[in-house]
Amino acid sequence: MKLNERSVAHYATCNSPPDKTGFLFKKGERNTAYHRRWFILKGNMLFYFEEKESREPVGVIVLEGCTVELCESESEEFAFAIKFDCVKAKVYKMAAENQAAMESWVKALSRASFDYMRLVVKELERQLEEVQEEARSSQAKSMLKKHQLQLQGATFSLQNATITGPSQEGVSSRENGVSWSKPPSVPNGVSNTQGDCSERGDGVRPHPVPPRRKTNGGSLESPVSPGTGCFSKLHDWYGKEVAELRIEWLQSHGCRQNESPNS
Amino acid sequence: MRFNEKELVFLSRQPSERAAELGMRGPKKGDVVKRRVVKLIVNFLFYFRTDEDEPIGALLLEQCRVEREDDQVFSVVFLDEAERKYLFECDSQEQCVEWIDAIIKASYEFMRKNLIYYRTEIHRLTGKDPLEQYGISDETRFQVNSGLPPLPPAAT
């Protein structure tokens, strides 16, 4: 079977960093003595050279589908073997120069397959998606909070402008049991926020967040479409939420003035 | 250069990422287009005569470039011999695009870049190294320090 050997050999010595290099003893295929060779592991390919300075590899072992095992050898200490599953498969017998080298090579070789790399990549890809989704939903939550705070500040100023009754005299007014000191300047209306909660002046305590409003789809986070890193889309969606919340709030507040407040 | 041919032939019989009968032309002057069954398995492209089980040959897809040559034709070129092109003729534009995409993603080095990107991003967002739980955070192949800054996965 043909192989693009020249290019494969080039892969061994090109400037991409190898995964592991070092001297190992390799049992010869015809001459069964162990020969010391310089090994370069790159990806799923294990190249071996006569000398460290050699420019062309003597050979390459494609490591896909192999298992690496420690083995007993009468002549060599620190021996291990690269085995394949197919019929009449080769067994490559190797020996390292010391225990640490042997363990290190066995580890590196058993994780060298393309399949293994693919597994790890898929797992990390999944983890990253999870983390990004979490980040998006918590960003969305905090944005909704900011919208609500602005909303409450804006409707507060609206209310101050229209009420003339005695219950609204003075600087402070009460809402939901929280007393507010009137800020020196309050944003007009529900501003077209660019996403930042602009300064609302000193002395304004954050309003308690109203109970979560459940949408038809379930939790507040779910309507955020995956992959919506696009702020304007998120903003439009929350703009609708805010408008609805505003109506609710105004209505509930309109009622409260004429009736005795419920606890 | 010696290589474990039997094991490679065995690999060519494994389930493929993608397989199709394509027109294939070798890189030598005078090579003509021949119908071949082309199979993409891990980072190898195997090619067979249409009626045979044993591959004629294999191409290791590292250090190579894939390019659109025509509506339905793509080429594979190895960086050490950029003048030599392997040409593949597809049956449709769609098939051509799919093969190009598949081959680009088939290299070990491409996967490594992705892994480094994901690892770096997860670490940036969570402060944790995702490889630690698997006990492989020290493996050379997963290191970011290849001298280059980690890049996001290439679009093409």
Side-chain angles (χ1 to χ4, degrees):
Chain A
M1 184 181 71
K2 283 191 258 177
L3 179 66
N4 55 330
E5 284 181 42
R6 260 200 308 252
S7 302
V8 174
H10 173 253
Y11 176 50
T13 50
C14 77
N15 54 22
S16 66
D19 295 312
K20 195 167 176 59
T21 62
F23 284 104
L24 288 170
F25 294 93
K26 177 178 171 293
K27 192 170 187 182
E29 287 158 50
R30 286 197 199 123
N31 171 1
T32 55
Y34 278 81
H35 299 105
R36 191 172 187 251
R37 297 275 181 253
W38 176 252
F39 281 81
I40 293 182
L41 172 64
K42 260 197 199 181
N44 55 354
M45 311 287 282
L46 183 63
F47 299 92
Y48 51 100
F49 298 75
E50 184 135 359
E51 309 280 344
K52 190 173 175 187
E53 302 75 32
S54 307
R55 299 181 78 230
E56 298 273 325
V58 171
V60 65
I61 304 171
V62 179
L63 295 168
E64 212 59 37
C66 74
T67 49
V68 187
E69 296 173 6
L70 303 179
C71 66
E72 290 299 316
S73 162
E74 315 79 39
S75 53
E76 298 295 320
E77 276 187 292
F78 317 120
F80 61 95
I82 302 173
K83 292 186 176 172
F84 290 86
D85 217 4
C86 55
V87 178
K88 288 204 204 153
K90 274 209 180 89
V91 177
Y92 290 93
K93 284 199 161 166
M94 320 282 288
E97 291 178 325
N98 55 58
Q99 180 74 16
M102 179 192 72
E103 287 177 5
S104 171
W105 273 104
V106 169
K107 248 206 291 184
L109 292 170
S110 46
R111 293 181 186 141
S113 70
F114 188 96
D115 268 344
Y116 176 80
M117 177 61 104
R118 184 159 43 192
L119 256 158
V120 179
V121 171
K122 280 212 167 105
E123 172 58 21
L124 290 200
E125 185 178 30
R126 188 194 62 81
Q127 278 189 33
L128 181 59
E129 271 172 29
E130 254 179 35
V131 168
Q132 283 173 336
E133 190 52 45
E134 277 232 18
R136 265 194 291 271
S137 75
S138 69
Q139 179 193 49
K141 258 194 272 187
S142 77
M143 267 181 39
L144 178 63
K145 240 197 210 177
K146 288 177 184 174
H147 272 88
Q148 288 168 345
L149 290 171
Q150 289 222 306
L151 160 69
Q152 270 120 25
T155 42
F156 171 73
S157 77
L158 265 175
Q159 192 184 38
N160 275 358
T162 55
I163 299 306
T164 51
S167 56
Q168 292 303 311
E169 71 186 11
V171 175
S172 64
S173 90
R174 276 208 214 147
E175 290 164 8
N176 294 351
V178 176
S179 105
W180 290 75
S181 45
K182 185 175 176 183
S185 68
V186 177
N188 294 330
V190 180
S191 60
N192 253 346
T193 175
Q194 298 307 300
D196 62 312
C197 188
S198 36
E199 285 308 291
R200 300 172 64 247
D202 299 317
V204 175
R205 260 181 283 152
H207 201 279
V209 178
R212 256 198 205 172
R213 202 174 74 83
K214 286 233 161 85
T215 62
N216 288 340
S219 74
L220 275 173
E221 291 92 80
S222 60
V224 177
S225 54
T228 307
C230 170
F231 176 76
S232 66
K233 274 194 196 150
L234 275 170
H235 179 68
D236 284 342
W237 191 82
Y238 282 107
K240 276 188 275 172
E241 267 285 306
V242 165
E244 283 162 333
L245 276 169
R246 184 170 175 232
I247 291 169
E248 241 185 42
W249 196 96
L250 280 172
Q251 283 172 349
S252 74
H253 242 76
C255 290
R256 249 188 228 154
Q257 281 172 342
N258 301 327
E259 299 163 357
S260 50
N262 300 326
S263 62
Chain B
M1 185 182 69
R2 291 195 223 130
F3 63 95
N4 47 336
E5 183 169 333
K6 242 195 230 93
E7 287 73 18
L8 210 49
V9 171
F10 182 71
L11 182 64
S12 77
R13 297 205 193 101
Q14 303 315 305
S16 64
E17 187 69 31
R18 181 165 281 270
E21 194 184 299
L22 303 175
M24 179 177 172
R25 187 166 69 139
K28 293 203 279 263
K29 243 190 183 172
D31 278 350
V32 293
V33 177
K34 298 194 178 134
R35 296 301 286 175
R36 295 285 182 249
V37 171
V38 180
K39 265 177 123 182
L40 176 62
I41 298 173
V42 298
N43 50 351
F44 282 92
L45 201 62
F46 294 98
Y47 48 100
F48 306 68
R49 287 198 186 85
T50 53
D51 53 352
E52 287 177 3
D53 277 338
E54 282 232 348
I56 309 170
L59 299 174
L60 174 70
L61 297 169
E62 301 293 337
Q63 299 288 306
C64 71
R65 191 167 56 225
V66 196
E67 273 170 3
R68 191 91 177 266
E69 292 291 329
D70 209 341
D71 267 1
Q72 295 177 181
V73 182
F74 67 90
S75 65
V76 174
V77 150
F78 295 94
L79 299 185
D80 62 316
E81 314 179 309
E83 346 66 57
R84 299 180 87 229
K85 282 189 181 179
Y86 290 83
L87 282 174
F88 296 88
E89 295 179 356
C90 304
D91 294 331
S92 70
Q93 286 197 44
E94 195 184 353
Q95 191 188 39
C96 187
V97 167
E98 287 171 1
W99 269 99
I100 292 174
D101 190 62
I103 292 175
I104 287 170
K105 292 177 175 158
S107 84
Y108 195 99
E109 299 303 323
F110 178 84
M111 281 203 300
R112 197 205 302 272
K113 285 195 186 122
N114 278 346
L115 185 144
I116 289 172
Y117 171 71
Y118 294 139
R119 184 185 187 185
T120 313
E121 271 301 285
I122 292 172
H123 185 262
R124 185 178 72 81
L125 292 171
T126 66
K128 285 193 235 151
D129 176 1
L131 295 183
E132 248 177 62
Q133 60 173 134
Y134 304 114
I136 52 178
S137 47
D138 291 337
E139 287 271 323
T140 319
R141 60 174 56 88
F142 303 136
Q143 296 319 309
V144 184
N145 59 350
S146 60
L148 297 167
L151 295 169
T156 49

